[in-house]
Amino acid sequence: MKVSADLTYPKLDFSKKFFTTEEDSEFAILTDEIKNLDNPRPLGLSGHLRVKNEARTIGLAIESCIDALDELIITAQPSIDATYEICQAKAKKYPDKIKLFYYTPEVVPHPFSHCFDKDSHQQNGDSFSVHNFAHYSNYGLVRISYRYYVKIDADQIYFTEKLKALREAILGADKYVKPKRSLLNKILGRLHRPFSDFLEAVLPLGIFAKYMTLVAGRCAYGLCGINLGQNFKNNVGEISIGGGALQEIEQEEIKNYFLPLNPKHSSGFSAYNGGIDTAIFIPNATTFYHYFINHGVETIPYGDVFCVRSLGCFWLHFGMVKKDIPCEGVKDEDYINLQDYYKAQKTDLKDKIKFRAIYKSDYNHLMANFKWHFQRDKKYLAHFVD
């Protein structure tokens, strides 16, 4: 297991007019738009949703997160299903919150995407190209209006009240945020690292956010969720990968899905997903998306911050469903029904639940979420299983 990703982010030449390689594209980003991320923004939380072939879950994803956001930027790619039409309907329903953009350049998806076709897609390593997933992500990032930013995923149905509570805690602690962390902040943050999970578990969320901001000077808050799958394949052909032949998931049926307990029987999926790669933070002109071919996914640096982890679960993730990956093995040993997970005690699962991660910090993050939040998050799960 690796200690960290060990990525080196290229520096942007701010003397250039265009951030984008294809300067003549109508989707080109100006370097000044990146610079503007340094400008003050009103206190609030901007969500950013990047979508293609997500009709199964995008409706519920938007409805479950919109109340916790001050705005939602949606950058939609052309889809083979009703994704864009659903986005249009939601934008009409929430005109004061949703800003919808139709991004038409063909974007090469990353290899873990349900839209990636290994036979026809070749990764694009130019993060500044309109055809690169990082550029596509930055196209939405530069359009945010509020101080804080979070990536929203279309295959995740959110715990609305918990996301709202975290938003309020972060905004309440903002007055203690420093423009730049001092040496003392960095030392105190490092000293608090072994105890931050415990402190978050015992302190009210608002007090914890204020305390860690005072101690560390500036924080990014990593989020986590619960993976859900089926215990059979859909077998409806390749179009199921893009969601085009599958019906939209209804909230009433969510309780019938399964959590993978053993990644060996679910194509590497653990019970939880997420980590510091999905975080609430304050973007600036140095924190924009990059794409690393060897890493296989777009990444965004958070700058000089203390990374708060192990806040528990904030969503149900249907990545396995849209990729047509079943939960296999022995029921209640290798996978478990969501209702049974909700009814279970931690002692029932501690020897069964296994986590897999590339990086040690992500593994520790997932383990800590089970240790500290398994029972506490049940009040949010009740909305889906009762």
Side-chain angles (χ1 to χ4, degrees):
M1 191 179 299
K2 298 179 181 179
V3 176
S4 67
D6 193 27
L7 299 175
T8 302
Y9 291 93
K11 292 185 178 181
L12 178 62
D13 182 358
F14 285 100
S15 67
K16 296 172 59 177
K17 180 179 180 180
F18 286 92
F19 172 87
T20 306
T21 301
E22 299 89 351
E23 297 180 0
D24 59 344
S25 171
E26 64 176 296
F27 296 93
I29 301 169
L30 296 173
T31 302
D32 280 348
E33 293 181 281
I34 300 293
K35 286 182 183 179
N36 288 341
L37 291 172
D38 278 341
N39 295 340
R41 297 184 295 273
L43 190 61
L45 177 60
S46 296
H48 178 201
L49 180 58
R50 306 158 301 172
V51 296
K52 180 176 182 177
N53 298 342
E54 300 281 7
R56 292 204 75 188
T57 52
I58 190 171
L60 286 175
I62 292 173
E63 291 292 342
S64 62
C65 73
I66 196 70
D67 286 347
L69 304 172
D70 294 282
E71 71 173 354
L72 179 61
I73 308 296
I74 303 178
T75 46
Q77 298 180 58
S79 298
I80 61 173
D81 60 14
T83 294
Y84 187 60
E85 290 73 19
I86 294 172
C87 290
Q88 288 178 308
K90 298 302 181 184
K92 186 175 181 180
K93 183 178 180 180
Y94 302 105
D96 296 331
K97 281 196 173 184
I98 293 180
K99 299 176 183 177
L100 176 60
F101 301 92
Y102 195 50
Y103 190 95
T104 58
E106 183 178 359
V107 177
V108 179
H110 58 73
F112 305 109
S113 169
H114 65 298
C115 298
F116 185 80
D117 183 348
K118 63 181 180 180
D119 294 325
S120 61
H121 285 138
Q122 187 172 5
Q123 291 189 75
N124 180 343
D126 181 3
S127 295
F128 304 98
S129 168
V130 294
H131 304 291
N132 185 277
F133 200 85
H135 183 281
Y136 162 61
S137 301
N138 288 321
Y139 184 81
L141 173 64
V142 298
R143 283 159 173 74
I144 64 171
S145 303
Y146 291 93
R147 180 162 166 82
Y148 287 86
Y149 170 89
V150 64
K151 177 183 70 173
I152 299 293
D153 284 346
D155 59 0
Q156 295 178 168
I157 299 172
Y158 291 81
F159 300 164
T160 309
E161 294 305 314
K162 187 171 183 181
L163 191 59
K164 286 169 64 176
L166 181 59
R167 173 193 175 275
E168 292 303 314
I170 292 172
L171 299 190
D174 183 75
K175 60 185 175 182
Y176 303 113
V177 172
K178 290 185 176 180
K180 187 176 181 180
R181 298 174 73 206
S182 67
L183 178 60
L184 180 59
N185 290 140
K186 296 178 183 181
I187 293 172
L188 290 175
R190 185 176 292 272
L191 291 174
H192 276 74
R193 171 61 64 202
F195 312 106
S196 62
D197 294 343
F198 169 76
L199 291 172
E200 195 282 322
V202 299
L203 293 175
L205 190 54
I207 293 176
F208 171 77
K210 290 176 181 177
Y211 178 77
M212 289 309 306
T213 305
L214 281 167
V215 166
R218 198 176 184 92
C219 298
Y221 298 83
L223 309 182
C224 176
I226 296 173
N227 280 319
L228 288 182
Q230 298 167 301
N231 68 335
F232 58 88
K233 288 194 174 185
N234 292 295
N235 293 321
V236 293
E238 292 183 0
I239 200 168
S240 69
I241 297 175
L246 301 179
Q247 294 182 346
E248 186 174 352
I249 290 174
E250 299 290 341
Q251 182 167 310
E252 294 75 16
E253 68 183 75
I254 289 175
K255 60 187 178 183
N256 298 321
Y257 284 82
F258 296 86
L259 279 81
L261 296 176
N262 190 336
K264 291 182 178 179
H265 297 281
S266 53
S267 298
F269 279 84
S270 302
Y272 302 155
N273 80 312
I276 205 62
D277 66 317
T278 302
I280 299 177
F281 73 107
I282 304 171
N284 59 46
T286 66
T287 59
F288 51 88
Y289 286 95
H290 301 264
Y291 191 88
F292 297 89
I293 288 181
N294 292 338
H295 196 58
V297 72
E298 85 291 355
T299 63
I300 187 168
Y302 301 130
D304 183 16
V305 297
F306 178 86
C307 293
V308 175
R309 299 171 179 267
S310 309
L311 294 165
C313 294
F314 287 83
W315 60 71
L316 301 174
H317 178 229
F318 288 86
M320 292 180 66
V321 176
K322 71 180 183 181
K323 294 178 182 178
D324 207 13
I325 296 174
C327 292
E328 297 180 315
V330 179
K331 186 177 181 296
D332 297 327
E333 291 292 331
D334 299 312
Y335 64 93
I336 187 172
N337 176 263
L338 182 61
Q339 286 182 304
D340 293 332
Y341 174 86
Y342 174 74
K343 296 174 184 177
Q345 299 300 312
K346 191 192 301 183
T347 52
D348 299 331
L349 298 178
K350 68 180 182 67
D351 293 330
K352 299 178 181 179
I353 196 164
K354 312 292 182 184
F355 293 105
R356 178 179 292 178
I358 297 174
Y359 306 111
K360 185 177 180 180
S361 57
D362 288 335
Y363 178 82
N364 292 339
H365 165 82
L366 298 175
M367 285 294 297
N369 279 320
F370 176 70
K371 177 180 179 181
W372 297 107
H373 293 276
F374 171 78
Q375 197 64 38
R376 297 171 73 188
D377 282 341
K378 285 188 176 182
K379 65 179 179 179
Y380 305 106
L381 275 177
H383 176 67
F384 299 97
V385 300
D386 283 349

